[in-house]
């Protein structure tokens, strides 16, 4: 398959690793932001092939992992309301809220349906005007255009029974939150290629300038990752800041202008809570005023939120900020497993703890 298998050839990766060994003279701590990048690194063993003076730490780039527990609780409450059906992506079903997951609620009779596209929920709403249909839409900049489009479509059809529960995260403010931490050790970022394919690099340039940190927009195959590290290490060794694009076969500096236009029609930037981290200023998108009548929170007038439970010993927040690794957690692989996830990075297969459980345990 063109654009895929040629980026997984191990001999090409080994050559790049040798180039990294030649230029790397100092100790560097690099964060790969996206969970898919973490999985590629661990599955290919890139972390073990790199020189010992390069430390890879894993970022918060898994949208399922960072979706707050209380938002999941709301989705569960909606799924139990008479005449209401919740539609969402499959990887959200298993993520635990305060007391249970959507999957468990569904097993007990709640009305939950898995979809591959929000337009499946829209079609159901059109065909069933007597039902209240809620699309539980989460994600980073990658899902925002599709989620915005379905909202515009529903508005165009004047549907009165279609609602959305949105947790839409933005990556650049999360990088700033990491860099603002006085204990931060990250010196360079491998930025997520798919996010930048949508949004471009405009928001990353001022971050690089302000914090004097190089950023390389990187793809997801083993060749992409190793080449991104090579570019980043060469910038670090030259004390060079700025934003470079490794993922040129997909990402343009300006991003996808049409996608950004659709996002800006429906959403505005707002503060958002990230599970395991807390509220990040400007960390997400929220509905604009003209779409607030479609907010599923309107259906929860008598709803009282659960208090988030503290998991003693869980270091998810430190892992999501690159301060610790899954093996540093005493609960990893014991009390906390993919079947019984306690922390945010274990709740989704894309999380760092889930990746360590799969590839390094």
């Amino acid at each position: 398959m063109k654009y895929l298998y040629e980026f997984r050839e191990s001999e090409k990766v080994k050559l790049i690793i040798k180039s990294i060994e030649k230029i790397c003279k100092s100790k560097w701590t690099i964060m790969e932001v996206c969970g898919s990048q973490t999985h590629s690194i661990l599955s290919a063993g890139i972390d073990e092939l790199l020189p010992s003076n390069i430390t890879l730490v894993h970022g918060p780039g898994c949208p399922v992992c960072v979706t707050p527990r209380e938002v999941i609780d709301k989705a569960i409450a909606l799924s139990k309301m008479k005449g209401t059906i919740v539609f969402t992506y499959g990887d959200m079903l298993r993520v635990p809220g305060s007391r249970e997951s959507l999957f468990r609620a569904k097993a007990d009779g709640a009305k939950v349906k898995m979809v591959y596209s929000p337009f499946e929920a829209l079609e159901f709403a059109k065909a069933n005007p007597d039902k209240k249909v809620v699309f539980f839409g989460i994600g980073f900049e990658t899902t925002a255009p599709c989620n915005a489009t379905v909202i515009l479509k529903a508005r165009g059809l004047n549907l009165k029974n279609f609602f959305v529960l949105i947790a839409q995260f933005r990556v650049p403010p999360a990088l700033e939150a990491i860099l603002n931490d006085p204990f931060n050790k990250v010196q360079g970022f491998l930025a997520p290629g798919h996010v930048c394919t949508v949004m471009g690099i405009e928001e990353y340039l001022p971050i690089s300038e302000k914090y004097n940190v190089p950023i390389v927009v990187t793809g997801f195959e083993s060749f992409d990752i190793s080449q991104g590290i090579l570019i980043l290490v060469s910038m670090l060794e030259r004390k060079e800041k700025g934003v470079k694009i490794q993922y040129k076969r997909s990402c343009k500096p300006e991003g996808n202008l049409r996608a950004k236009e659709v996002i800006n029609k429906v959403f505005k930037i707002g503060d958002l809570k990230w599970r395991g981290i807390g509220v990040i200023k400007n960390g997400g998108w929220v509905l604009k005023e003209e779409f607030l009548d479609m907010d599923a929170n309107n259906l929860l007038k008598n709803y009282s939120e659960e208090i988030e439970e503290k998991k003693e010993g869980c270091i998810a927040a430190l892992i999501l900020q690159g301060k610790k690794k899954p093996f540093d957690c005493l609960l990893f692989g014991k009390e906390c497993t993919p079947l019984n996830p306690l922390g945010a990075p274990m709740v989704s297969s894309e999380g760092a703890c889930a990746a360590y459980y799969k590839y390094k345990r």
Side-chain angles (χ1 to χ4, degrees), residues 44-344:
I46 292 174
D47 55 327
E48 297 177 1
L49 293 173
L50 290 170
S52 59
N53 47 344
I54 296 178
T55 300
L56 297 179
V57 295
H58 319 302
C62 165
V64 173
C65 298
V66 299
T67 299
R69 190 186 302 268
E70 50 267 41
V71 179
I72 298 170
D73 290 344
K74 288 182 178 179
I76 293 170
L78 288 163
S79 72
K80 295 180 178 180
M81 292 175 59
K82 186 178 180 180
T84 302
I85 304 175
V86 172
F87 292 73
T88 192
Y89 301 121
D91 52 358
M92 276 307 304
L93 295 181
R94 200 171 54 82
V95 183
S98 295
R99 298 185 182 278
E100 60 181 338
S101 64
L102 280 165
F103 190 75
R104 171 57 62 186
K106 178 180 174 66
D108 291 338
K111 295 172 285 298
V112 181
K113 289 185 178 293
M114 187 192 80
V115 294
Y116 293 100
S117 163
F119 287 91
E120 295 177 51
L122 184 73
E123 291 300 318
F124 187 91
K126 287 167 57 180
N128 298 273
D130 59 321
K131 304 291 185 185
K132 292 185 177 71
V133 173
V134 176
F135 174 64
F136 182 22
I138 66 104
F140 289 115
E141 291 91 335
T142 47
T143 61
C146 189
N147 291 345
T149 300
V150 78
I151 291 169
L152 288 173
K153 185 72 173 177
R155 176 49 43 88
L157 294 170
N158 198 28
L159 289 181
K160 302 298 184 185
N161 64 328
F162 184 80
F163 301 87
V164 291
L165 185 64
I166 292 294
Q168 203 77 63
F169 305 96
R170 299 177 63 243
V171 170
L175 301 192
E176 284 213 76
I178 291 169
L179 291 167
N180 278 326
D181 190 305
F183 300 103
N184 168 57
K185 296 180 180 177
V186 177
Q187 296 160 296
F189 290 99
L190 300 179
H194 49 4
V195 167
C196 295
T197 295
V198 175
M199 301 303 297
I201 62 173
E202 180 182 11
E203 294 180 279
Y204 296 85
L205 293 169
I207 295 175
S208 175
E209 182 68 28
K210 179 179 178 180
Y211 298 96
N212 197 28
V213 59
I215 300 172
V216 177
V217 177
T218 304
F220 304 93
E221 304 302 330
S222 52
F223 177 86
D224 295 317
I225 299 288
S226 53
Q227 190 179 52
I229 294 171
L230 174 61
I231 297 170
L232 192 57
V233 170
S234 66
M235 294 174 74
L236 287 164
E237 290 287 348
R238 295 195 302 268
K239 302 186 186 309
E240 177 185 345
K241 57 188 174 183
V243 180
K244 293 189 176 182
I245 301 175
Q246 179 279 328
Y247 199 42
K248 292 181 179 177
R249 65 185 184 279
S250 178
C251 177
K252 298 177 181 177
E254 68 275 19
N256 185 319
L257 299 180
R258 174 61 180 144
K260 291 196 287 189
E261 179 185 347
V262 171
I263 292 171
N264 290 329
K265 282 184 179 177
V266 175
F267 298 118
K268 63 180 181 180
I269 292 173
D271 300 344
L272 199 65
K273 182 177 181 180
W274 291 48
R275 187 172 188 169
I277 297 177
V279 176
I280 295 180
K281 185 174 177 56
N282 297 327
W285 276 302
V286 297
L287 291 170
K288 284 187 171 179
E289 283 72 13
E290 53 265 44
F291 298 101
L292 287 178
D293 59 313
M294 299 172 68
D295 188 346
N297 285 290
N298 296 330
L299 303 175
L300 293 167
K301 293 180 179 176
N302 297 320
Y303 172 77
S304 61
E305 291 187 5
E306 298 276 356
I307 298 174
E308 184 167 347
E309 299 171 8
K310 299 287 186 183
K311 301 295 183 184
E312 295 295 335
C314 176
I315 61 170
L318 298 176
I319 293 171
L320 288 168
Q321 297 172 75
K323 296 177 181 177
K324 296 285 186 181
K325 293 195 173 185
F327 284 158
D328 297 322
C329 181
L330 296 176
L331 304 180
F332 175 82
K334 299 171 185 173
E335 295 178 58
C336 184
T337 68
L339 289 177
N340 183 40
L342 300 181

